Amino acid sequence: MTNWKAMKNWKNWLAPILTGLTVVALALLPLRLSALQDERLTGTVHTELLAEDSNFPAKPPELPRRLQLLAQQRELADTLTIVGQEVEGSALAENIRLARGELANLAEAGILPGEIDPDIAKLFASKLYLRDQTDLSSAGFVELSGYDKASGEYRSLVLDAETGLLVSLEVDSAWIRTEPLAASEVGAAFLDRLSVEYEIYQTDQCDWACFRLSEAPVLYYATIGRTTLHIGPWLDWEALDRSEALDDALGYPTDTSVSISKR
């Protein structure tokens, strides 16, 4: 009898409790949806599955500006709308084929040691879409990474989605120092493949070199360590400061909602 009474009392309390929870949920849901919408519009990272026929980015700019967007993502992510897309199935296989072909081309060009096997590491990939909030310039990239347990080799690669060319890479391999690779020569050969205009900005010739692109505020660094080679774009803050000063001198309006400041 006691158990029955307890169950009856519990059932009597259940309806008011459920009603209260429903009211709270209805009150909080619009606020949460609004917050999510705000996050989507203010440049925070947003990862989702996109259809293969998605038109984002719709009108990507020329390669130098696309490289600037990639550098912005590394140093000024809050000025961008960033969307990630998983790469699976046939799309994954195609991007792996492109990446391994690019590694083979780099070895043939003397940018990577010839002993490095482009096919040994199992690669995983994701697509990255970037859009600048100030002028809506947008670009897509494919990020791939993989590790081979037998050789201990690691590679992190970024393909330009428009051309399929490697625009950034990091390779960790015991073969890196087995050939007399000079960072200044490796970096120049890498940028020559991209057909972008540049000048050597700073270098110690052997271990590291910095190149300044002529058509975008981007610095490309090539660094060679004991077992690592890294080549990739970063923002040219000096060029950005000059551009901002010129805009001020000419009286061009500045978008104060998305300011570019050195971090």
Side-chain angles (χ1 to χ4, degrees):
M1 182 68 69
T2 302
N3 290 338
W4 180 84
K5 287 184 177 180
M7 183 178 294
K8 184 178 180 181
N9 291 334
W10 178 79
K11 289 183 177 179
N12 289 337
W13 280 101
L14 180 60
I17 291 174
L18 291 177
T19 301
L21 290 175
T22 301
V23 171
V24 171
L26 291 175
L28 294 180
L29 182 58
L31 295 175
R32 179 55 182 161
L33 291 176
S34 177
L36 289 172
Q37 178 73 355
D38 290 342
E39 289 176 4
R40 187 179 68 83
L41 296 175
T42 54
T44 56
V45 177
H46 177 56
T47 303
E48 64 179 23
L49 286 172
L50 296 180
E52 285 297 321
D53 60 352
S54 171
N55 65 350
F56 183 69
K59 295 180 179 180
E62 296 300 314
L63 181 58
R65 177 64 172 115
R66 300 202 299 271
L67 296 175
Q68 182 185 347
L69 290 171
L70 183 60
Q72 280 181 245
Q73 185 259 338
R74 293 172 169 175
E75 298 188 77
L76 281 174
D78 57 351
T79 65
L80 301 173
T81 298
I82 303 174
V83 178
Q85 176 187 12
E86 296 179 12
V87 179
E88 301 174 334
S90 60
L92 175 60
E94 174 62 14
N95 282 294
I96 289 176
R97 185 190 68 79
L98 288 174
R100 287 176 171 168
E102 279 290 277
L103 289 175
N105 292 337
L106 294 184
E108 186 177 345
I111 298 169
L112 287 175
E115 293 85 355
I116 287 182
D117 184 350
D119 299 329
I120 59 173
K122 182 179 180 181
L123 296 175
F124 301 90
S126 61
K127 211 158 189 179
L128 182 69
Y129 297 98
L130 307 175
R131 174 170 288 166
D132 192 311
Q133 298 166 12
T134 59
D135 62 5
L136 300 184
S137 295
S138 56
F141 301 92
V142 180
E143 297 180 317
L144 304 100
S145 61
Y147 173 75
D148 180 66
K149 187 175 181 180
S151 65
E153 290 189 9
Y154 168 79
R155 53 203 59 177
S156 176
L157 315 169
V158 181
L159 292 172
D160 173 44
E162 291 297 307
T163 61
L165 293 173
L166 269 176
V167 293
S168 179
L169 81 157
E170 182 178 351
V171 176
D172 190 330
S173 169
W175 295 110
I176 292 296
R177 281 298 191 186
T178 60
E179 293 186 12
L181 301 175
S184 57
E185 296 176 0
V186 166
F190 187 89
L191 292 175
D192 286 342
R193 293 185 71 252
L194 299 181
S195 299
V196 294
E197 296 182 9
Y198 65 89
E199 62 179 3
I200 294 182
Y201 180 51
Q202 295 175 335
T203 181
D204 76 343
Q205 298 296 324
C206 185
D207 293 333
W208 66 273
C210 178
F211 303 82
R212 169 173 275 165
L213 298 195
S214 303
E215 300 174 87
V218 173
L219 296 177
Y220 247 89
Y221 282 88
T223 59
I224 302 178
R226 186 174 61 87
T227 62
T228 60
L229 168 64
H230 175 265
I231 305 175
W234 300 87
L235 287 175
D236 184 348
W237 290 102
E238 184 178 329
L240 285 171
D241 289 342
R242 288 199 306 268
S243 177
E244 186 175 342
L246 179 61
D247 287 348
D248 290 342
L250 296 176
Y252 291 161
T254 301
D255 187 347
T256 57
S257 63
V258 184
S259 59
I260 296 181
S261 57
K262 193 169 184 177
R263 301 300 168 111

